[in-house]
């Protein structure tokens, strides 16, 4: 007897647009993040239908077996054909013969819920889908084509049949779909790197891609090199260069010692030693595990290792991490963690009073204070010449509600601050006594940005995360004719009820704080700070197991992890201010109120009264 099963799917689309990043501002929870590392040499096997006895498990595996469907080779139809052939093994013969989906691989968020058999004995599995984006052949998760089918939502019935003792699908949707669970389990987030432009000492800037784990290591190397040759995502193209006039011959070779030999054409032989070193370093950073890269020319047996020193090419490489924490306590800036003497710029003085927020660079040579002067807030930056220690930033157009300032070293040394509406860049005072200069940072084509309430700049200095109108955004940070401007903004969707603060946890992931997200079965309880990829995928709460009640997060500062660390994805160091204006910190899996260390050897105070509770406001790490 033939048994028939039915699964009812409800598909709700999210509008999307943009280049390289989803363009939806609607919040969504898209499951756990893609694993940061995989075994290098062995390809993973995609799911198969063999032995699956429940319809919900069959559908779940079907939505994962499309892995690799976005990757193309010399024949653009190869990857799609191979993937679709694999997906057809989940179908009955008749269904497979008539299934001709478009070549695009669409990533969807899926919720599958089994139901009891209906009156005809059919098993029903209800599924809810949301369109996350489309994976293109270059590993970019973007908006893809604007299909009105997804905008209006879609209902679909999966049906299954027992054929020769094997449960198979007899009705499937007319798309090649990949679930976010499949994206997390079968792809690795793989940033590739491009050299920044318009600066004298360029560094590498990461461009987020997704590498399918079904590819063997040698094929992954081929893909990465081709992605580099094809250039960056469009949203980064204004701040980075593509490899210029470089031709590869044949496929790169993965050696037994895991080093990679890239064979270049004779044209590359005329390149300077620095050009070749930069190319080798760029490839090395872009490969999983950062193996040694050897260059050869026209299949010559001799190879050149010029990728040594690659660590210096990435501004996110920190060496020994600086985890000193600072905060405003009793309207003065204090160092909370005492591993060395407090910086002189935050020492006792008339300047370090009535302070609302502050920043300092890691070298402790530049600092800024937002102070309460009468009924308004005013920005002060250190003079750099001794006395006076600080000078006022005179900008009459600057609003009165200032954010915590930030210092950036790249692409130019500036203080940045927002007045709740506009983003301002402040050039520090000159050695000759020149006053600080404050200018508004415009958007593309001189666009005037409004409603900017918070921001955070990536370690490379060429990408900025912003809170605009209560929504998280990301944009390229341009440096043109000595001035900073922003590229096009792309949303970073998340489930928080409002976005108020943002910081960089890794080169490609953010901490976003704000109002608690609605409690629902797609999220791990209610939380008000989230870890997410810069494209809005992989959202999870910070800390991973939040304890209710979730507090309103109004400010945060994150220490960006070193990309060479094995714990880069897991380690979290974030300090934040809650709605009650108490400084707290997320360190790993716990949340603690911030406390001030006691200097080693310091004697206790003469009072026998219990110490007053420390209220650490506007906490931050050195920039």
């Amino acid at each position: 007897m033939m048994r028939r099963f039915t699964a009812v799917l409800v598909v709700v689309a999210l509008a999307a647009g943009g280049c390289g990043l989803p363009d939806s501002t609607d919040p969504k929870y898209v499951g756990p993040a893609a694993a940061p590392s995989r075994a290098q040499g062995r390809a993973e096997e995609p799911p198969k239908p063999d032995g699956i006895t429940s319809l919900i498990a069959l559908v779940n595996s079907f939505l994962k077996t499309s892995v690799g469907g976005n990757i193309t080779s010399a024949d653009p139809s190869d990857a799609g054909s191979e993937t679709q052939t694999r997906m057809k093994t989940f179908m009955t013969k008749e269904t497979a013969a008539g299934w001709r989906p478009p070549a695009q691989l669409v990533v969807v968020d899926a919720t599958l819920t089994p139901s009891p058999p209906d009156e005809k004995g059919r098993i029903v599995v209800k599924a809810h889908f949301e369109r996350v984006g489309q994976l293109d052949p270059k590993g970019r998760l973007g908006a893809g084509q604007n299909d009105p089918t997804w905008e209006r939502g879609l209902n679909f019935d999966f049906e299954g049949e027992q054929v020769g003792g094997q449960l198979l699908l007899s009705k499937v949707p007319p798309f090649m779909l990949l679930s976010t669970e499949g994206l997390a389990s079968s792809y690795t987030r793989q940033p590739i790197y491009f050299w920044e432009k318009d600066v004298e000492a360029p560094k590498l800037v990461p461009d987020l891609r997704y590498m399918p784990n079904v590819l063997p290591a040698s094929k992954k190397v081929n893909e990465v090199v081709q992605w580099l040759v094809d250039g960056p995502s469009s949203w980064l193209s204004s701040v980075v260069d593509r490899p210029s006039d470089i031709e590869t011959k044949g496929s790169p070779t993965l050696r037994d010692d895991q080093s990679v030999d890239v064979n270049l054409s004779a044209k590359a032989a005329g390149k300077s030693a620095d050009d070749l070193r930069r190319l080798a370093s760029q490839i090395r950073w872009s490969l999983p595990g950062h193996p040694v890269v050897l260059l050869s020319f026209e299949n010559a047996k001799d190879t050149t290792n010029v990728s040594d020193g690659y660590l210096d090419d990435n501004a996110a490489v920190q060496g020994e991490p600086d985890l000193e924490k600072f905060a405003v306590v009793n309207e003065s800036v204090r160092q909370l963690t005492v591993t060395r003497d407090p910086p002189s710029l935050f020492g006792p003085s008339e300047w370090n009073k009535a302070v609302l927020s502050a920043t300092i660079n890691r070298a402790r040579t530049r600092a800024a204070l937002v102070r309460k002067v009468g009924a308004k807030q005013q920005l002060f930056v250190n003079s750099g010449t001794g006395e006076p220690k600080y000078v006022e930033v005179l900008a009459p157009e600057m609003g009165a509600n200032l954010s915590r300032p930030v210092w950036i070293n790249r692409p130019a040394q500036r203080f940045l601050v927002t007045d709740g509406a506009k983003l301002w860049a402040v050039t520090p005072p000159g050695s000759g006594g020149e006053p600080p200069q404050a200018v508004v940072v415009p958007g593309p084509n001189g666009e005037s940005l409004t409603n900017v309430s918070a921001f955070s700049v990536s370690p490379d200095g060429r990408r900025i995360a912003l809170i605009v109108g209560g929504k998280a955004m990301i944009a390229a940070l341009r440096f043109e004719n000595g001035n900073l401007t922003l590229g096009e903004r792309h949303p970073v969707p998340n489930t928080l009820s409002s976005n108020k603060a943002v910081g960089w946890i890794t080169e490609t992931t953010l901490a976003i704080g704000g109002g608690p997200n609605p409690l629902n079965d797609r999220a791990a309880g209610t939380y008000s700070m989230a870890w997410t990829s810069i494209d809005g995928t992989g959202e999870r709460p910070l800390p991973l197991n939040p304890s209710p009640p979730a507090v309103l997060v109004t400010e945060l500062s994150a220490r960006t992890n070193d990309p060479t660390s094995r714990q880069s994805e897991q380690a979290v160091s974030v300090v934040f201010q809650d709605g009650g204006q108490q400084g707290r910190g997320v360190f790993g899996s716990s949340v603690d109120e911030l406390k001030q260390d006691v200097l080693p050897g310091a004697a206790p105070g003469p009072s026998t009264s219990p110490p007053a509770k420390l209220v650490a406001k506007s906490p931050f790490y050195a920039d």
Side-chain angles (χ1 to χ4, degrees), residues 440-505:
V440 173
V441 180
N445 302 316
E447 172 194 352
S448 178
L449 295 179
T450 59
N451 212 10
V452 180
S453 57
F455 65 94
S456 179
V457 179
S458 62
D460 51 79
R462 308 315 300 264
R463 298 167 300 148
I464 184 170
L466 308 134
I467 305 299
V468 182
K471 299 290 186 181
M473 306 272 179
I474 190 170
L477 188 58
R478 302 171 178 172
F479 187 57
E480 302 167 336
N481 300 320
N483 296 314
L484 297 174
T485 62
L486 299 186
E488 293 183 3
R489 299 181 302 281
H490 296 268
V492 183
N494 59 87
T495 67
L496 301 185
S497 58
S498 64
N499 297 166
K500 294 184 176 296
V502 66
W504 294 82
I505 296 179

Side-chain angles (χ1 to χ4, degrees), residues 261-273:
D261 183 1
V262 179
N263 184 39
L264 303 175
S265 71
K267 183 185 296 186
K271 294 293 181 181
S272 69

Side-chain angles (χ1 to χ4, degrees), residues 228-313:
L228 289 173
V229 171
D230 290 338
S233 298
S234 60
W235 77 281
L236 280 176
S237 61
S238 63
V239 297
V240 298
D241 283 321
R242 65 190 305 163
S244 61
D245 205 23
I246 294 292
E247 295 179 354
T248 58
K249 299 201 70 174
S251 298
T253 303
L254 181 64
R255 300 189 174 199
D256 291 339
D257 63 359
Q258 297 302 303
S259 64
V260 174
D261 183 1
V262 179
N263 184 39
L264 303 175
S265 71
K267 183 185 296 186
K271 294 293 181 181
S272 69
D274 185 60
D275 285 341
L276 295 177
R277 187 204 69 79
R278 285 165 45 121
L279 175 64
S281 179
Q282 179 179 12
I283 296 173
R284 184 168 185 174
W285 268 110
S286 301
L287 293 174
H290 315 312
V292 171
V293 173
L294 307 172
L295 300 181
S296 61
F297 305 94
E298 295 291 345
N299 297 312
K301 292 183 179 180
D302 295 334
T303 58
T304 303
N305 175 16
V306 290
S307 67
D308 289 346
Y310 75 106
L311 294 176
D312 294 334
D313 296 327

Side-chain angles (χ1 to χ4, degrees), residues 34 48 140 290:
K48 298 178 180 179
R140 297 172 294 209
H290 315 312

Side-chain angles (χ1 to χ4, degrees), residues 521-538:
D521 61 356
R522 292 297 297 151
T526 297
Y527 52 90
S528 53
M529 190 157 54
W531 179 109
T532 184
S533 200
I534 59 173
D535 56 15
T537 62

Side-chain angles (χ1 to χ4, degrees), residues 47-131:
K48 298 178 180 179
D50 303 353
I52 298 178
T53 57
S54 74
L55 184 59
I56 189 170
L58 188 67
V59 172
N60 190 51
S61 293
F62 177 73
L63 294 173
K64 296 178 181 178
T65 201
S66 55
V67 55
N70 60 303
I71 298 298
T72 62
S73 61
D75 181 355
S77 65
D78 282 355
S81 297
E82 179 182 343
T83 301
Q84 291 179 21
T85 297
R86 183 169 63 243
M87 296 179 75
K88 288 179 179 180
T89 64
F90 282 72
M91 309 174 196
T92 64
K93 184 177 180 180
E94 294 78 9
T95 301
W99 189 62
R100 296 181 177 85
Q104 293 77 25
L105 182 60
V106 180
V107 180
V108 293
D109 185 25
T111 304
L112 305 178
T113 306
S115 299
D118 63 12
E119 64 280 0
K120 296 183 180 180
R122 297 180 302 180
I123 298 177
V124 176
V125 178
K126 295 183 178 180
H128 175 74
F129 280 5
E130 291 183 350
R131 187 183 189 277

Side-chain angles (χ1 to χ4, degrees), residues 152-165:
R152 294 189 297 269
L154 177 69
N155 294 324
F156 189 85
D157 294 342
F158 269 121
E159 297 180 359
E161 297 178 2
Q162 288 282 355
V163 179

